[in-house]
Amino acid sequence: TYPSEQWGLELEMQSDFRLYYQPIVALDTGRISGFEALVRWYHPTRGMVSPVDFIPLAEETGLIMDLGDWILQTACYQLREWQSKFPHGLEVTMVVNLSSLQLHNPHLVSQIQQLLDEMNLDNRYLKLEITESGLMENEEIALDLLRTMREAGIQLSIDDFGTGYSSLARLHNLPVNTLKIDKSFLQRTTFDHESWEIIETIIILAHKLGLTVVAEGIETGDQFELLQRLNCDYGQGYWLSRPMDASGATALLAKNP
Ligand code: G
Ligand code: G
Ligand code: MN
Ligand code: NA
């Protein structure tokens, strides 16, 4: 990464952000159950900068708070449009990543509630994704906040599951709906067959705890079929669809009633 002065981050971060949307598909029916919003930043000279590079900078500078608000607003606005445009828009969940720093905002839940009310969106159509490591680093704050979200009927998902160090005992106490298995497990299956067993175990465990499972990073038809056989609920990955801009995602949704 580069020092933030070099990026002119403060000035330039105010514009040229876009949200892309990647479908999350029900593995049994093939229908789109939701979209994950993924932020993109078009730098005037560098071109597309990956969130892997600018999210840490935004966190360091505190800009993640404003950026995070903008992402939530834009994603909810998009969902509002889909619900208005398509009868089956009401089956679509919008999944938004939260930085663990956003968990420190004491007004987060009330701000989100206000946003959902303004957009006339039912709370259950928003799903927030928090990484397993972000959750564990901020366990006290996070737990409180997650409970409040759950009480409000907002859905919660643990992202990058399997890469952090949450004990299974703790998982039992987390008020979440969904585990998203980190894509590194699927990537390893090509040369390491035990990874399938880990994936299978995570799916069985999650189901025992009443959670749904998303496998991310599906890149082949074989992976898709094996996940179906393991009773994985949802999938996401290039083989199904790459993240797309708003008009691409809208066109895809139009074809997927
Ligand atoms: O497409 P991908 O390159 O989008 O994203 C890379 C990383 O950036 C992922 O770990 C993803 O969770 C994170 N990321 C993408 N969009 C957002 C966002 O809107 N907010 C936060 N906090 N992280 C995001
Ligand atoms: O939020 P999270 O860390 O889960 O971010 C998802 C990341 O995975 C994004 O960068 C997204 O662009 C990327 N991604 C989505 N599908 C695939 C895929 O099939 N393969 C790989 N390698 N990355 C993917
Ligand atoms: Mn995610
Ligand atoms: Na992930």
Side-chain angles (χ1 to χ4, degrees):
T1 47
Y2 303 81
S4 35
E5 308 86 67
Q6 195 178 333
W7 293 82
L9 195 67
E10 300 259 354
L11 279 175
E12 290 175 35
M13 272 197 142
Q14 294 173 21
S15 61
D16 298 322
F17 285 105
R18 303 279 148 74
L19 285 192
Y20 269 48
Y21 302 93
Q22 186 177 35
I24 298 168
V25 170
L27 294 185
D28 54 352
T29 61
R31 293 165 71 110
I32 295 174
S33 80
F35 283 90
E36 179 175 7
L38 294 160
V39 66
R40 302 287 179 257
W41 181 30
Y42 291 94
H43 187 279
T45 54
R46 285 176 202 280
M48 213 278 281
V49 183
S50 166
V52 174
D53 295 321
F54 70 80
I55 293 281
L57 286 175
E59 288 176 332
E60 261 170 55
T61 57
L63 278 167
I64 191 67
M65 295 314 206
D66 285 346
L67 180 60
D69 289 348
W70 178 85
I71 290 165
L72 274 161
Q73 278 166 26
T74 307
C76 287
Y77 192 85
Q78 185 59 61
L79 184 61
R80 170 74 270 154
E81 191 188 300
W82 287 335
Q83 288 196 357
S84 310
K85 204 164 180 164
F86 305 116
H88 60 291
L90 277 170
E91 286 163 38
V92 173
T93 300
M94 182 60 83
V95 181
V96 176
N97 290 282
L98 282 190
S99 157
S100 60
L101 285 185
Q102 289 175 275
L103 303 179
H104 293 265
N105 171 5
H107 307 295
L108 185 66
V109 182
S110 57
Q111 281 173 4
I112 291 176
Q113 187 63 65
Q114 198 184 335
L115 176 65
L116 291 167
D117 291 344
E118 277 167 17
M119 298 279 169
N120 195 20
L121 288 167
D122 198 288
N123 289 9
R124 69 175 186 274
Y125 297 117
L126 178 65
K127 186 181 265 193
L128 299 174
E129 208 160 272
I130 301 159
T131 63
E132 184 187 20
S133 50
L135 205 60
M136 294 307 145
E137 284 158 23
N138 304 274
E139 213 186 340
E140 308 271 285
I141 303 177
L143 258 180
D144 254 17
L145 191 92
L146 298 192
R147 287 207 185 97
T148 317
M149 300 254 193
R150 260 311 277 278
E151 279 159 25
I154 295 166
Q155 296 194 65
L156 296 165
S157 169
I158 304 185
D159 200 1
D160 302 343
F161 185 77
T163 59
Y165 298 94
S166 58
S167 75
L168 302 183
R170 270 188 188 153
L171 190 60
H172 180 61
N173 291 320
L174 289 175
V176 299
N177 310 81
T178 302
L179 290 189
K180 192 183 255 190
I181 304 175
D182 191 69
K183 57 180 169 287
S184 62
F185 290 100
L186 265 192
Q187 281 160 356
R188 264 181 257 136
T189 55
T190 39
F191 52 89
D192 162 21
H193 215 76
E194 278 179 6
S195 289
W196 277 119
E197 274 155 35
I198 298 173
I199 291 171
E200 182 175 15
T201 307
I202 295 175
I203 293 169
I204 292 169
L205 168 77
H207 286 165
K208 282 203 155 90
L209 294 172
L211 308 175
T212 59
V213 185
V214 183
E216 65 173 11
I218 300 176
E219 294 183 356
T220 69
D222 285 350
Q223 291 175 339
F224 180 85
E225 279 170 26
L226 254 159
L227 287 162
Q228 274 183 322
R229 252 181 275 157
L230 295 181
N231 279 323
C232 184
D233 306 286
Y234 303 101
Q236 187 179 351
Y238 297 159
W239 189 74
L240 293 160
S241 168
R242 291 195 167 252
M244 288 172 295
D245 65 13
S247 65
T250 304
L252 189 74
L253 194 56
K255 286 190 301 188
N256 196 275

